Amino acid sequence: MTRPSISTGIAALGEGEALTPQQMIAMADKALYQAKGAGRSRIVLLDAAGVS
């Protein structure tokens, strides 16, 4: 039986940090691909410091 898995990327801002919507989407996308690269059923959280 095949079991589904999910990997997800999460973008977060700390108090006083500001990013544009496009930067937030790019940050979440980066986190998602890090999660996918780490294997099945992973979650990666990046804060604003994770933006390059």
Side-chain angles (χ1 to χ4, degrees):
M1 171 157 81
T2 303
R3 292 189 170 206
S5 68
I6 187 168
S7 294
T8 188
I10 300 169
L13 289 177
E15 191 172 330
E17 296 175 325
L19 294 176
T20 66
Q22 293 83 6
Q23 289 172 313
M24 286 293 293
I25 291 168
M27 192 166 65
D29 191 57
K30 179 178 178 179
L32 172 62
Y33 281 95
Q34 286 181 7
K36 286 183 172 205
R40 298 174 63 120
S41 299
R42 304 293 176 161
I43 298 171
V44 172
L45 169 65
L46 289 181
D47 60 18
V51 177
S52 39

